[in-house]
Structures are given as C-alpha cells and as structure tokens.
Coordinates of all heavy atoms in Angstrom, one line a residue:
M1 N 15.1 1.2 85.4 CA 14.8 -0.2 85.8 C 13.3 -0.4 85.5 O 12.5 0.4 85.8 CB 15.1 -0.4 87.2 CG 15.1 -1.9 87.6 SD 16.0 -2.1 89.2 CE 17.4 -3.0 88.6
L2 N 13.0 -1.6 84.9 CA 11.6 -1.9 84.5 C 10.9 -2.6 85.6 O 11.5 -3.4 86.4 CB 11.6 -2.7 83.2 CG 12.2 -2.1 82.0 CD1 12.0 -3.1 80.8 CD2 11.5 -0.8 81.6
T3 N 9.6 -2.5 85.7 CA 8.8 -3.2 86.6 C 8.7 -4.7 86.1 O 9.0 -5.0 85.0 CB 7.4 -2.6 86.7 OG1 6.7 -2.8 85.5 CG2 7.4 -1.2 87.1
N4 N 8.2 -5.5 87.0 CA 8.0 -6.9 86.6 C 7.0 -7.1 85.4 O 7.3 -7.9 84.5 CB 7.5 -7.8 87.8 CG 8.6 -8.0 88.8 OD1 9.8 -8.0 88.4 ND2 8.2 -8.3 90.0
E5 N 6.0 -6.3 85.4 CA 5.1 -6.3 84.3 C 5.8 -5.8 83.0 O 5.6 -6.4 81.9 CB 3.9 -5.4 84.6 CG 2.8 -5.4 83.5 CD 1.6 -4.4 83.8 OE1 1.2 -4.4 85.0 OE2 1.1 -3.8 82.9
Q6 N 6.6 -4.8 83.1 CA 7.3 -4.3 81.9 C 8.3 -5.3 81.4 O 8.5 -5.5 80.2 CB 8.0 -3.0 82.2 CG 7.0 -1.8 82.3 CD 7.7 -0.5 82.8 OE1 8.5 -0.6 83.7 NE2 7.5 0.6 82.1
L7 N 8.9 -6.0 82.4 CA 9.9 -7.1 82.0 C 9.2 -8.2 81.2 O 9.7 -8.7 80.2 CB 10.6 -7.6 83.2 CG 11.6 -6.8 83.9 CD1 12.0 -7.3 85.3 CD2 12.8 -6.6 83.0
D8 N 8.0 -8.6 81.7 CA 7.2 -9.6 80.9 C 6.9 -9.1 79.5 O 7.0 -9.8 78.6 CB 5.9 -9.9 81.7 CG 6.1 -10.6 83.0 OD1 7.2 -11.2 83.2 OD2 5.1 -10.6 83.8
Q9 N 6.5 -7.8 79.4 CA 6.2 -7.2 78.1 C 7.4 -7.2 77.2 O 7.4 -7.5 76.1 CB 5.7 -5.8 78.3 CG 4.2 -5.7 78.7 CD 3.8 -4.2 78.7 OE1 4.2 -3.5 79.6 NE2 3.1 -3.8 77.7
L10 N 8.6 -6.8 77.8 CA 9.8 -6.8 77.1 C 10.2 -8.1 76.5 O 10.5 -8.3 75.3 CB 10.9 -6.3 78.0 CG 12.3 -6.2 77.4 CD1 12.4 -5.2 76.2 CD2 13.4 -5.8 78.4
E11 N 10.1 -9.2 77.3 CA 10.4 -10.5 76.9 C 9.4 -10.9 75.7 O 9.9 -11.5 74.7 CB 10.3 -11.5 78.0 CG 10.7 -12.9 77.7 CD 10.7 -13.9 78.8 OE1 11.0 -13.4 80.0 OE2 10.4 -15.0 78.6
N12 N 8.1 -10.6 75.9 CA 7.2 -11.0 74.8 C 7.4 -10.2 73.5 O 7.3 -10.7 72.5 CB 5.8 -10.7 75.3 CG 5.3 -11.8 76.3 OD1 5.8 -12.9 76.3 ND2 4.5 -11.4 77.3
L13 N 7.8 -8.9 73.7 CA 8.1 -8.1 72.5 C 9.4 -8.7 71.8 O 9.4 -8.8 70.5 CB 8.3 -6.7 72.8 CG 7.1 -5.9 73.3 CD1 7.4 -4.6 73.9 CD2 6.1 -5.8 72.1
A14 N 10.4 -9.1 72.6 CA 11.6 -9.7 72.0 C 11.3 -11.0 71.3 O 11.9 -11.2 70.2 CB 12.6 -9.9 73.1
K15 N 10.3 -11.7 71.8 CA 9.9 -13.0 71.1 C 9.4 -12.7 69.7 O 9.4 -13.5 68.8 CB 8.8 -13.7 71.9 CG 9.4 -14.4 73.1 CD 8.2 -15.1 73.9 CE 8.7 -15.8 75.1 NZ 7.7 -16.4 75.9
L16 N 8.9 -11.5 69.5 CA 8.3 -11.1 68.2 C 9.3 -10.3 67.4 O 9.0 -9.7 66.4 CB 7.1 -10.2 68.4 CG 5.9 -10.9 69.1 CD1 4.8 -10.0 69.5 CD2 5.4 -12.1 68.3
F17 N 10.6 -10.3 67.9 CA 11.7 -9.7 67.2 C 11.6 -8.2 67.1 O 12.1 -7.6 66.1 CB 12.0 -10.4 65.8 CG 12.2 -11.9 65.9 CD1 11.2 -12.7 65.4 CD2 13.3 -12.4 66.5 CE1 11.4 -14.1 65.5 CE2 13.5 -13.8 66.6 CZ 12.6 -14.6 66.1
Y18 N 11.0 -7.6 68.1 CA 11.0 -6.1 68.1 C 12.4 -5.6 68.5 O 13.1 -6.3 69.3 CB 10.0 -5.6 69.1 CG 8.6 -5.5 68.6 CD1 7.7 -6.6 68.8 CD2 8.1 -4.4 67.9 CE1 6.4 -6.5 68.3 CE2 6.8 -4.4 67.4 CZ 6.0 -5.4 67.6 OH 4.7 -5.4 67.1
T19 N 12.8 -4.5 67.9 CA 14.1 -3.9 68.2 C 14.0 -3.3 69.6 O 12.9 -3.0 70.1 CB 14.5 -2.8 67.2 OG1 13.6 -1.7 67.3 CG2 14.6 -3.4 65.8
V20 N 15.1 -2.9 70.2 CA 15.2 -2.2 71.5 C 14.4 -0.9 71.4 O 13.6 -0.6 72.3 CB 16.6 -2.0 72.0 CG1 16.7 -1.2 73.2 CG2 17.3 -3.4 72.2
S21 N 14.6 -0.2 70.3 CA 14.0 1.1 70.1 C 12.5 0.9 70.0 O 11.7 1.7 70.6 CB 14.4 1.8 68.8 OG 15.8 2.1 68.9
E22 N 12.0 -0.1 69.3 CA 10.6 -0.3 69.2 C 10.0 -0.7 70.6 O 8.9 -0.3 71.0 CB 10.3 -1.4 68.2 CG 10.6 -1.0 66.8 CD 10.6 -2.1 65.8 OE1 10.9 -3.3 66.1 OE2 10.3 -1.8 64.6
C23 N 10.7 -1.5 71.3 CA 10.3 -1.9 72.7 C 10.2 -0.7 73.6 O 9.2 -0.6 74.3 CB 11.3 -2.9 73.3 SG 11.3 -4.5 72.5
A24 N 11.1 0.2 73.5 CA 11.1 1.4 74.3 C 9.8 2.2 74.0 O 9.2 2.8 74.9 CB 12.3 2.3 74.0
V25 N 9.5 2.4 72.7 CA 8.3 3.1 72.4 C 7.0 2.4 72.9 O 6.2 3.1 73.6 CB 8.1 3.2 70.8 CG1 6.8 3.8 70.4 CG2 9.3 4.1 70.3
I26 N 6.9 1.1 72.8 CA 5.7 0.4 73.3 C 5.7 0.5 74.8 O 4.6 0.6 75.4 CB 5.8 -1.0 72.8 CG1 5.6 -1.0 71.2 CG2 4.7 -1.9 73.4 CD1 5.8 -2.4 70.6
L27 N 6.8 0.3 75.5 CA 6.9 0.4 76.9 C 6.8 1.8 77.5 O 6.7 1.9 78.7 CB 8.1 -0.3 77.4 CG 8.2 -1.8 77.1 CD1 9.6 -2.3 77.5 CD2 7.2 -2.6 77.9
E28 N 6.9 2.8 76.6 CA 6.9 4.2 77.0 C 8.0 4.5 78.0 O 7.8 5.1 79.0 CB 5.6 4.6 77.6 CG 4.4 4.5 76.6 CD 3.1 4.8 77.1 OE1 2.9 5.0 78.3 OE2 2.1 4.9 76.3
V29 N 9.3 4.0 77.6 CA 10.5 4.3 78.4 C 11.5 5.0 77.5 O 11.4 4.9 76.3 CB 11.0 3.0 79.1 CG1 10.0 2.5 80.0 CG2 11.4 2.0 78.0
D30 N 12.5 5.5 78.1 CA 13.6 6.2 77.4 C 14.4 5.1 76.6 O 14.9 4.1 77.1 CB 14.5 6.9 78.3 CG 15.6 7.7 77.6 OD1 15.3 8.8 77.0 OD2 16.7 7.2 77.6
K31 N 14.5 5.4 75.3 CA 15.2 4.4 74.4 C 16.7 4.3 74.8 O 17.2 3.1 74.8 CB 15.1 5.0 73.0 CG 15.8 4.1 71.9 CD 15.5 4.6 70.5 CE 15.6 6.0 70.2 NZ 15.4 6.4 68.8
K32 N 17.4 5.3 75.1 CA 18.8 5.2 75.5 C 19.0 4.4 76.7 O 19.8 3.6 76.8 CB 19.4 6.6 75.6 CG 20.0 7.2 74.4 CD 20.8 8.5 74.7 CE 21.4 9.0 73.5 NZ 22.1 10.2 73.7
N33 N 18.2 4.7 77.7 CA 18.3 4.0 79.0 C 18.0 2.5 78.8 O 18.7 1.7 79.4 CB 17.3 4.6 80.1 CG 17.8 6.0 80.5 OD1 19.0 6.3 80.4 ND2 16.9 6.7 81.1
L34 N 17.0 2.2 78.1 CA 16.6 0.8 77.8 C 17.8 0.1 77.1 O 18.2 -1.0 77.4 CB 15.3 0.6 77.1 CG 14.9 -0.8 76.8 CD1 14.7 -1.5 78.2 CD2 13.6 -0.8 76.0
G35 N 18.4 0.8 76.1 CA 19.5 0.3 75.4 C 20.7 0.0 76.3 O 21.3 -1.1 76.2
I36 N 21.0 0.9 77.2 CA 22.1 0.7 78.1 C 21.8 -0.5 79.0 O 22.7 -1.3 79.3 CB 22.3 2.0 79.0 CG1 22.9 3.1 78.1 CG2 23.2 1.7 80.2 CD1 22.8 4.5 78.7
L37 N 20.6 -0.6 79.5 CA 20.2 -1.8 80.4 C 20.3 -3.1 79.6 O 20.8 -4.1 80.2 CB 18.8 -1.6 80.9 CG 18.6 -0.5 82.0 CD1 17.1 -0.3 82.2 CD2 19.3 -0.9 83.3
I38 N 19.9 -3.1 78.4 CA 20.0 -4.4 77.6 C 21.4 -4.7 77.2 O 21.7 -5.9 77.1 CB 19.0 -4.3 76.4 CG1 17.6 -4.3 76.9 CG2 19.2 -5.4 75.4 CD1 16.5 -4.1 75.9
Q39 N 22.2 -3.7 77.0 CA 23.6 -4.0 76.7 C 24.4 -4.6 77.9 O 25.4 -5.3 77.7 CB 24.4 -2.8 76.2 CG 23.9 -2.4 74.8 CD 24.7 -1.1 74.4 OE1 25.1 -0.3 75.2 NE2 24.7 -0.9 73.1
D40 N 23.9 -4.4 79.1 CA 24.6 -4.9 80.3 C 24.1 -6.3 80.6 O 23.0 -6.5 81.0 CB 24.4 -4.0 81.5 CG 25.0 -4.4 82.7 OD1 25.6 -5.5 82.8 OD2 25.0 -3.6 83.7
D41 N 24.9 -7.3 80.3 CA 24.5 -8.7 80.5 C 24.0 -9.1 81.9 O 23.3 -10.1 82.0 CB 25.6 -9.7 80.1 CG 25.9 -9.6 78.6 OD1 25.1 -9.1 77.8 OD2 27.1 -10.0 78.2
D42 N 24.3 -8.3 82.8 CA 24.0 -8.6 84.2 C 22.6 -8.1 84.7 O 22.2 -8.4 85.8 CB 25.0 -8.1 85.2 CG 26.4 -8.8 85.0 OD1 26.4 -10.0 84.6 OD2 27.4 -8.1 85.1
T43 N 21.9 -7.3 83.8 CA 20.6 -6.8 84.2 C 19.5 -7.7 83.9 O 19.6 -8.5 82.9 CB 20.4 -5.4 83.5 OG1 20.2 -5.6 82.1 CG2 21.5 -4.4 83.8
K44 N 18.4 -7.5 84.6 CA 17.2 -8.3 84.3 C 16.7 -8.0 82.9 O 16.2 -8.9 82.2 CB 16.1 -8.0 85.3 CG 16.4 -8.6 86.7 CD 15.2 -8.2 87.7 CE 15.6 -8.7 89.1 NZ 14.5 -8.3 90.0
E45 N 16.8 -6.7 82.5 CA 16.3 -6.3 81.2 C 17.0 -7.0 80.1 O 16.4 -7.5 79.1 CB 16.5 -4.8 81.1 CG 15.5 -4.0 81.9 CD 16.0 -3.8 83.4 OE1 17.0 -4.3 83.8 OE2 15.2 -3.1 84.1
S46 N 18.3 -7.1 80.2 CA 19.1 -7.8 79.2 C 18.8 -9.3 79.2 O 18.6 -9.9 78.1 CB 20.6 -7.6 79.5 OG 21.4 -8.3 78.6
K47 N 18.7 -9.9 80.3 CA 18.4 -11.3 80.4 C 17.0 -11.6 79.8 O 16.9 -12.6 79.0 CB 18.5 -11.8 81.8 CG 20.0 -11.8 82.3 CD 20.1 -12.2 83.8 CE 21.5 -12.1 84.2 NZ 21.8 -12.2 85.6
R48 N 16.1 -10.8 80.1 CA 14.7 -11.1 79.6 C 14.6 -10.8 78.1 O 13.9 -11.5 77.4 CB 13.7 -10.2 80.4 CG 13.6 -10.6 81.9 CD 12.9 -11.9 82.2 NE 11.6 -12.0 81.8 CZ 10.5 -11.6 82.6 NH1 10.8 -11.2 83.8 NH2 9.3 -11.7 82.2
Y49 N 15.2 -9.7 77.7 CA 15.2 -9.4 76.2 C 15.8 -10.5 75.4 O 15.2 -11.0 74.5 CB 15.9 -8.1 76.0 CG 15.8 -7.6 74.5 CD1 14.6 -7.1 74.0 CD2 16.9 -7.8 73.7 CE1 14.5 -6.7 72.7 CE2 16.8 -7.4 72.3 CZ 15.6 -6.9 71.8 OH 15.5 -6.5 70.5
H50 N 17.0 -10.9 75.8 CA 17.7 -12.0 75.1 C 17.0 -13.3 75.2 O 17.0 -14.1 74.3 CB 19.2 -12.0 75.5 CG 19.9 -10.8 75.0 ND1 20.2 -9.7 75.8 CD2 20.4 -10.5 73.8 CE1 20.8 -8.8 75.1 NE2 20.9 -9.2 73.9
K51 N 16.4 -13.6 76.4 CA 15.7 -14.8 76.5 C 14.5 -14.9 75.5 O 14.3 -15.9 74.8 CB 15.1 -14.9 77.9 CG 14.3 -16.2 78.2 CD 13.7 -16.2 79.6 CE 12.9 -17.5 79.8 NZ 12.2 -17.5 81.0
G52 N 13.8 -13.8 75.4 CA 12.7 -13.7 74.4 C 13.2 -14.0 73.0 O 12.6 -14.8 72.2
L53 N 14.3 -13.3 72.6 CA 14.8 -13.5 71.3 C 15.2 -14.9 71.0 O 14.9 -15.5 70.0 CB 16.0 -12.6 71.1 CG 15.9 -11.1 70.9 CD1 17.2 -10.4 70.8 CD2 15.1 -10.8 69.6
L54 N 15.9 -15.5 72.0 CA 16.4 -16.8 71.8 C 15.3 -17.9 71.8 O 15.4 -18.9 71.1 CB 17.5 -17.1 72.9 CG 18.8 -16.4 72.7 CD1 19.7 -16.6 73.9 CD2 19.5 -16.8 71.4
E55 N 14.3 -17.7 72.6 CA 13.2 -18.6 72.6 C 12.5 -18.7 71.2 O 12.2 -19.8 70.7 CB 12.2 -18.3 73.7 CG 12.7 -18.7 75.1 CD 11.7 -18.4 76.2 OE1 10.6 -17.7 75.9 OE2 11.9 -18.7 77.3
S56 N 12.3 -17.5 70.6 CA 11.7 -17.5 69.3 C 12.6 -18.1 68.3 O 12.2 -18.8 67.3 CB 11.2 -16.1 68.9 OG 10.0 -15.8 69.6
E57 N 13.9 -17.7 68.4 CA 14.8 -18.3 67.4 C 14.9 -19.8 67.5 O 15.0 -20.5 66.5 CB 16.2 -17.7 67.7 CG 17.3 -18.1 66.7 CD 18.6 -17.5 66.9 OE1 18.8 -16.5 67.6 OE2 19.6 -18.1 66.3
K58 N 14.8 -20.3 68.7 CA 14.8 -21.8 68.9 C 13.6 -22.4 68.2 O 13.7 -23.4 67.5 CB 14.7 -22.1 70.4 CG 14.5 -23.5 70.7 CD 14.3 -23.7 72.2 CE 13.9 -25.1 72.6 NZ 12.5 -25.5 72.3
E59 N 12.4 -21.7 68.3 CA 11.2 -22.3 67.7 C 11.4 -22.2 66.1 O 11.0 -23.2 65.5 CB 10.0 -21.4 68.1 CG 9.6 -21.7 69.5 CD 8.4 -20.8 70.0 OE1 7.7 -20.2 69.1 OE2 8.2 -20.6 71.2
V60 N 11.9 -21.2 65.6 CA 12.2 -21.1 64.2 C 13.1 -22.2 63.7 O 12.9 -22.9 62.7 CB 12.7 -19.7 63.8 CG1 13.2 -19.7 62.3 CG2 11.6 -18.6 64.0
R61 N 14.2 -22.3 64.5 CA 15.2 -23.4 64.1 C 14.6 -24.8 64.1 O 14.9 -25.6 63.3 CB 16.4 -23.3 65.0 CG 17.3 -22.1 64.8 CD 18.4 -22.0 65.8 NE 19.2 -20.9 65.5 CZ 20.6 -21.0 65.3 NH1 21.2 -22.1 65.3 NH2 21.3 -19.9 65.1
E62 N 13.7 -25.0 65.1 CA 13.1 -26.3 65.2 C 12.2 -26.6 64.0 O 12.3 -27.7 63.4 CB 12.2 -26.4 66.5 CG 13.0 -26.6 67.8 CD 12.1 -26.5 69.0 OE1 11.0 -26.0 68.9 OE2 12.7 -26.8 70.1
K63 N 11.5 -25.6 63.5 CA 10.7 -25.7 62.3 C 11.6 -25.9 61.1 O 11.2 -26.7 60.2 CB 9.8 -24.5 62.1 CG 8.7 -24.3 63.2 CD 7.8 -25.5 63.2 CE 6.7 -25.3 64.3 NZ 5.9 -26.5 64.5
V64 N 12.7 -25.2 61.0 CA 13.6 -25.4 59.9 C 14.1 -26.8 59.8 O 14.2 -27.4 58.8 CB 14.7 -24.3 59.9 CG1 15.8 -24.7 58.9 CG2 14.2 -22.9 59.7
I65 N 14.5 -27.3 61.0 CA 15.1 -28.7 61.1 C 14.0 -29.7 60.7 O 14.3 -30.6 59.9 CB 15.6 -29.0 62.5 CG1 16.8 -28.0 62.8 CG2 16.1 -30.4 62.6 CD1 18.0 -28.1 61.9
E66 N 12.8 -29.5 61.2 CA 11.7 -30.4 60.8 C 11.5 -30.4 59.3 O 11.4 -31.5 58.7 CB 10.4 -29.9 61.5 CG 10.2 -30.2 62.9 CD 9.0 -29.7 63.5 OE1 8.0 -29.5 62.8 OE2 9.0 -29.4 64.7
M67 N 11.5 -29.2 58.7 CA 11.3 -29.1 57.2 C 12.5 -29.8 56.5 O 12.3 -30.4 55.5 CB 11.1 -27.7 56.8 CG 9.8 -27.1 57.3 SD 9.7 -25.3 57.1 CE 9.9 -25.1 55.3
A68 N 13.7 -29.6 57.0 CA 14.9 -30.1 56.4 C 14.8 -31.7 56.4 O 15.1 -32.3 55.4 CB 16.1 -29.6 57.1
L69 N 14.4 -32.2 57.5 CA 14.3 -33.7 57.7 C 13.2 -34.2 56.8 O 13.3 -35.4 56.4 CB 14.0 -34.1 59.1 CG 15.2 -33.8 60.1 CD1 14.8 -34.0 61.5 CD2 16.4 -34.6 59.7
R70 N 12.3 -33.4 56.4 CA 11.2 -33.8 55.5 C 11.6 -33.6 54.0 O 10.8 -33.9 53.1 CB 9.9 -33.1 55.8 CG 9.3 -33.4 57.1 CD 7.9 -32.8 57.3 NE 7.4 -33.2 58.6 CZ 6.7 -32.3 59.3 NH1 6.4 -31.1 58.9 NH2 6.3 -32.7 60.5
G71 N 12.8 -33.1 53.8 CA 13.3 -33.0 52.4 C 13.3 -31.7 51.8 O 13.7 -31.5 50.6
S72 N 13.0 -30.6 52.5 CA 13.0 -29.3 51.9 C 14.5 -28.9 51.7 O 15.2 -28.7 52.6 CB 12.3 -28.3 52.8 OG 12.6 -26.9 52.4
T73 N 14.8 -28.6 50.4 CA 16.2 -28.3 50.1 C 16.6 -26.9 50.7 O 17.7 -26.7 51.1 CB 16.5 -28.3 48.6 OG1 15.5 -27.5 47.9 CG2 16.4 -29.7 48.1
K74 N 15.6 -26.0 50.7 CA 15.9 -24.6 51.3 C 16.1 -24.8 52.8 O 17.0 -24.1 53.3 CB 14.7 -23.7 51.0 CG 14.7 -23.2 49.6 CD 13.6 -22.2 49.4 CE 13.5 -21.7 48.0 NZ 12.5 -20.6 47.7
A75 N 15.3 -25.6 53.4 CA 15.5 -25.8 54.9 C 16.8 -26.5 55.2 O 17.5 -26.2 56.2 CB 14.3 -26.5 55.4
Q76 N 17.2 -27.4 54.3 CA 18.4 -28.2 54.5 C 19.6 -27.2 54.4 O 20.5 -27.3 55.2 CB 18.5 -29.3 53.5 CG 17.6 -30.4 53.7 CD 17.5 -31.4 52.6 OE1 18.0 -31.2 51.5 NE2 16.9 -32.6 52.9
A77 N 19.5 -26.3 53.4 CA 20.6 -25.3 53.3 C 20.7 -24.4 54.5 O 21.8 -24.1 55.0 CB 20.4 -24.5 52.0
Q78 N 19.5 -24.0 55.0 CA 19.5 -23.2 56.2 C 20.0 -23.9 57.4 O 20.8 -23.4 58.2 CB 18.1 -22.6 56.5 CG 18.0 -21.7 57.7 CD 18.8 -20.4 57.5 OE1 18.6 -19.7 56.5 NE2 19.7 -20.2 58.4
A79 N 19.7 -25.2 57.5 CA 20.2 -26.0 58.7 C 21.7 -26.1 58.6 O 22.4 -26.1 59.6 CB 19.5 -27.4 58.6
I80 N 22.2 -26.3 57.4 CA 23.7 -26.4 57.3 C 24.3 -25.1 57.7 O 25.4 -25.1 58.4 CB 24.1 -26.7 55.8 CG1 23.7 -28.2 55.5 CG2 25.5 -26.5 55.6 CD1 23.7 -28.6 54.1
E81 N 23.7 -23.9 57.4 CA 24.2 -22.6 57.9 C 24.2 -22.5 59.4 O 25.1 -22.0 60.0 CB 23.4 -21.5 57.2 CG 23.7 -21.3 55.8 CD 25.2 -21.1 55.5 OE1 25.9 -20.3 56.2 OE2 25.7 -21.8 54.6
F82 N 23.1 -23.0 60.0 CA 23.0 -23.1 61.5 C 24.2 -23.8 62.1 O 24.8 -23.4 63.0 CB 21.7 -23.7 62.0 CG 20.5 -22.9 61.7 CD1 19.3 -23.6 61.6 CD2 20.5 -21.5 61.6 CE1 18.1 -22.9 61.4 CE2 19.3 -20.8 61.4 CZ 18.1 -21.5 61.3
I83 N 24.5 -25.0 61.4 CA 25.6 -25.9 61.9 C 26.9 -25.2 61.8 O 27.7 -25.1 62.7 CB 25.5 -27.2 61.2 CG1 24.3 -28.0 61.5 CG2 26.8 -28.0 61.4 CD1 24.0 -29.2 60.6
K84 N 27.2 -24.6 60.6 CA 28.4 -23.9 60.4 C 28.6 -22.7 61.4 O 29.7 -22.6 61.9 CB 28.5 -23.3 59.0 CG 28.7 -24.4 57.9 CD 28.7 -23.7 56.5 CE 28.8 -24.7 55.4 NZ 28.8 -24.0 54.1
Q85 N 27.6 -22.0 61.6 CA 27.6 -20.8 62.5 C 27.9 -21.3 64.0 O 28.7 -20.7 64.7 CB 26.3 -20.0 62.5 CG 26.4 -18.7 63.3 CD 27.4 -17.8 62.8 OE1 27.7 -17.7 61.6 NE2 28.1 -17.0 63.7
A86 N 27.2 -22.4 64.4 CA 27.5 -22.9 65.7 C 28.9 -23.4 65.9 O 29.5 -23.1 66.9 CB 26.5 -24.1 66.0
K87 N 29.4 -24.1 64.9 CA 30.8 -24.6 64.9 C 31.8 -23.4 65.0 O 32.7 -23.4 65.8 CB 31.1 -25.5 63.7 CG 30.5 -26.8 63.8 CD 30.9 -27.7 62.6 CE 30.3 -29.0 62.7 NZ 30.7 -29.9 61.5
L88 N 31.5 -22.4 64.2 CA 32.4 -21.2 64.2 C 32.4 -20.5 65.5 O 33.5 -20.2 66.1 CB 32.0 -20.2 63.1 CG 32.7 -18.9 62.9 CD1 34.2 -19.2 62.5 CD2 32.0 -18.0 62.0
E89 N 31.2 -20.3 66.1 CA 31.1 -19.6 67.3 C 31.7 -20.4 68.5 O 32.3 -19.9 69.4 CB 29.7 -19.2 67.6 CG 29.3 -18.0 66.7 CD 27.9 -17.5 67.0 OE1 27.4 -17.7 68.2 OE2 27.3 -16.9 66.1
N90 N 31.5 -21.7 68.4 CA 32.0 -22.6 69.5 C 33.6 -22.6 69.4 O 34.2 -22.6 70.5 CB 31.5 -24.0 69.3 CG 30.1 -24.2 69.8 OD1 29.6 -23.4 70.6 ND2 29.4 -25.1 69.3
N91 N 34.1 -22.6 68.2 CA 35.6 -22.5 68.1 C 36.1 -21.2 68.6 O 37.2 -21.1 69.3 CB 36.0 -22.7 66.6 CG 35.9 -24.2 66.2 OD1 35.9 -25.1 67.0 ND2 35.7 -24.4 64.9
E92 N 35.4 -20.1 68.4 CA 35.8 -18.8 68.8 C 35.7 -18.7 70.4 O 36.6 -18.1 71.0 CB 35.0 -17.7 68.2 CG 35.3 -17.5 66.7 CD 34.3 -16.5 66.1 OE1 33.4 -16.0 66.8 OE2 34.5 -16.2 64.9
D93 N 34.7 -19.3 70.9 CA 34.5 -19.3 72.4 C 35.6 -20.0 73.1 O 35.9 -19.6 74.2 CB 33.1 -19.9 72.8 CG 32.0 -18.9 72.4 OD1 32.2 -17.7 72.1 OD2 30.8 -19.4 72.4
I94 N 36.1 -21.1 72.6 CA 37.1 -21.9 73.3 C 38.5 -21.7 72.8 O 39.4 -22.2 73.4 CB 36.7 -23.4 73.3 CG1 36.5 -24.0 71.9 CG2 35.5 -23.7 74.2 CD1 36.2 -25.4 71.8
G95 N 38.6 -21.1 71.7 CA 40.0 -20.9 71.1 C 40.4 -19.5 71.3 O 41.2 -18.8 71.5

C-alpha cells in the first residue's frame, strides 16, 4: 500500500504515461506488488494511476479535437477514430 505522497507521485507519473514498471522503479517499490494493486479496480493505487492516465488522455484528445476543428486532416482522422472507439466500447458495455 502506498503513502499519500506516493499516491500523488503515482498519479503524476501516470499523467506522463509511465508504465507500472517504470512507476515502481521511481517510487522504489516492488513492481509485482504495485502491478497487483493497480490491477484491482477497488484500490487507491488503481484509481489514482488510471485517473492520471485518463486526465492526460483527455488533454490530448481536447487538443486533437481543437486541431480537427481548425481543419487538420490528420487530427480529423484521429478524431474519427476516437468516435469509432467510443461507439464500439459503448456498444460492448451495454450489449
């Protein structure tokens, strides 16, 4: 179990897209134990790690959408992929 300070660090590392193994090295904790904690959706470690990842992903998606709306064809293609993926996952979640 990580301390509050380590949880803050974990979330910040996840925002930078560090892997669980890389986080373990930086936090100086056992890689297997951290991996087990992060795989369990009910732990603080899992919630904070995934929160960090998703917050950064949100920022990236916002930038892609902004660029797409300004006419970037690459960004428009990526935005379409985001839409397709969301629809696919939403269908899987409710179907």
Side-chain angles (χ1 to χ4, degrees):
M1 193 164 245
L2 299 180
T3 66
N4 286 334
E5 183 180 323
Q6 287 174 314
L7 287 168
D8 290 343
Q9 281 183 285
L10 178 65
E11 185 176 326
N12 287 328
L13 292 168
K15 285 180 183 179
L16 298 171
F17 303 110
Y18 278 92
T19 66
V20 173
S21 295
E22 292 168 331
C23 290
V25 170
I26 293 169
L27 294 170
E28 298 179 350
V29 298
D30 183 77
K31 179 173 41 175
K32 272 190 177 180
N33 289 340
L34 183 60
I36 290 167
L37 289 169
I38 289 175
Q39 286 180 338
D40 181 351
D41 292 340
D42 295 327
T43 65
K44 290 180 183 179
E45 290 81 0
S46 179
K47 290 174 183 172
R48 295 290 294 274
Y49 183 78
H50 290 98
K51 179 182 178 187
L53 286 176
L54 291 171
E55 284 180 355
S56 283
E57 184 177 344
K58 175 186 171 283
E59 290 175 17
V60 169
R61 287 176 180 238
E62 286 173 345
K63 294 297 180 191
V64 169
I65 299 300
E66 285 175 24
M67 292 170 59
L69 293 172
R70 290 187 183 143
S72 167
T73 54
K74 287 184 179 183
Q76 289 169 345
Q78 183 62 56
I80 290 168
E81 288 304 312
F82 290 154
I83 294 165
K84 287 179 183 177
Q85 187 64 35
K87 286 181 178 180
L88 177 65
E89 288 185 21
N90 286 334
N91 286 336
E92 290 173 356
D93 288 344
I94 53 178

